[in-house]
Amino acid sequence: MKTIAVATQKGGQGKTTIALHLAFAAEEMDLKVLYVDMDEQGNGSLVLAGDSRIAYESGYSALTTGALFDSTTGGHVKPLVTEKNIDLIAPDPLLPKYIQGTFDPGSPALAAPRTVLAQFAQEYDLCVIDAPPAQGQVLAALLAASDAVISPMSIDLFSIDGVGNLLETITQVRDAVNPALMQLGIVPNQVNTRSKGEMSTLKDLRSAYGALITPYAFNLRYAVKAAISSRKPVWKGVSGTSHSKAAKEWKDNCRTVLEQLDLLESN
Ligand SMILES: Nc1ncnc2c1ncn2[C@@H]1O[C@H](COP(=O)(O)OP(=O)(O)O)[C@@H](O)[C@H]1O
Ligand SMILES: [Mg+2]
């Protein structure tokens, strides 16, 4: 199993949208996918299972994000099987009971998600972690459990300002517990190609950060929002030129990421 975290500490950057599309793309390639919905708002769960409060509603009968932070969780509690053929670890409102606070390399909670997820390594090809809009120990523990991390960012001052903290957490986790963590980079998302200012800022960012910013990006397209609202990937039910462009962009970019994770033959 390969595990990828989609992480940035700021909300609204496209973490859930990208995490869902990676999961859909992998599922369509017949890979077995596990989706970990760490955002308490449960947007990913709403798309996959039709319910943002599924863990609670189902009486905690399936594995939840809370149990992920308890290394005594036995392999007998399974993730939830969804109608999308993507299994789900749904958000647990009790999560803060198990883990909170700032990065602490000595705490057992830091290693828990890695231990719990390892129990499912034979059952899944890909585990996608939709990280919460937070930093500190929760994010560090998720990064400790991951093979790779990708970080969407929109091109505006506040989003760019947050990148330094994220990079610091990635470095701390690599140094302390997970030297193999692959940084796929910061992927520009919701890029408004009609804005000269934004395109010029993106160019400046690329020259300042170099390879840290992915060569590919996701442009701002209404079809993306509409697709997620109908609980589908953007490449399903394509109609019109703008929608086809969005479909191709998301398919190509997801493929690139899955290739980087060695889950596909590159050709
Ligand atoms: N490339 C895009 N084009 C248009 N809308 C997008 C794009 N990426 C994300 N969105 C929309 O932006 C909003 C925030 O995205 P979301 O994935 O929920 O962010 P996060 O999980 O980081 O909070 C959602 O309404 C989503 O549909
Ligand atoms: Mg989200």
Side-chain angles (χ1 to χ4, degrees), residues 26-224:
E27 191 277 328
E28 288 178 22
M29 289 163 187
D30 285 332
L31 299 172
K32 194 75 194 118
V33 184
L34 176 61
Y35 189 98
V36 182
D37 184 0
M38 288 301 306
D39 192 340
E40 61 184 26
Q41 290 178 57
N43 298 154
S45 301
L46 182 59
V47 170
L48 296 178
D51 186 348
S52 60
R53 287 160 44 91
I54 188 80
Y56 175 77
E57 308 279 347
S58 66
Y60 292 96
S61 54
L63 195 72
T64 65
T65 56
L68 209 54
F69 287 85
D70 176 2
S71 52
T72 61
T73 299
H76 57 280
V77 193
K78 298 284 186 196
L80 191 88
V81 176
T82 72
E83 61 193 77
K84 301 286 185 190
N85 198 29
I86 290 167
D87 290 359
L88 171 70
I89 297 184
D92 181 351
L94 301 177
L95 180 68
K97 213 176 82 179
Y98 302 98
I99 185 164
Q100 51 190 319
T102 51
F103 178 66
D104 172 5
S107 150
L110 187 64
R114 191 186 184 100
T115 309
V116 175
L117 287 174
Q119 298 170 21
F120 302 104
Q122 300 310 314
E123 286 172 55
Y124 298 98
D125 300 299
L126 172 67
C127 171
V128 180
I129 301 177
D130 179 2
Q135 32 182 3
Q137 188 75 336
V138 179
L139 179 60
L142 297 171
L143 294 178
S146 300
D147 296 297
V149 54
I150 188 162
S151 309
M153 177 186 73
S154 38
I155 311 303
D156 62 69
L157 181 66
F158 296 162
S159 305
I160 295 163
D161 190 51
V163 166
N165 286 331
L166 174 75
L167 299 180
E168 198 181 318
T169 307
I170 292 175
T171 306
Q172 281 174 327
V173 170
R174 264 193 185 151
D175 290 351
V177 281
N178 188 7
L181 178 64
M182 202 173 25
Q183 191 171 1
L184 299 186
I186 294 160
V187 56
N189 182 29
Q190 311 188 45
V191 178
N192 181 356
T193 51
R194 289 190 190 153
S195 154
K196 278 195 184 143
E198 203 167 307
M199 294 314 282
S200 125
T201 306
L202 179 55
K203 204 168 150 226
D204 293 347
L205 286 170
R206 287 196 188 285
S207 35
Y209 287 97
L212 201 55
I213 303 196
T214 60
Y216 55 89
F218 295 99
N219 294 330
L220 178 70
R221 292 189 202 276
Y222 176 72
V224 177

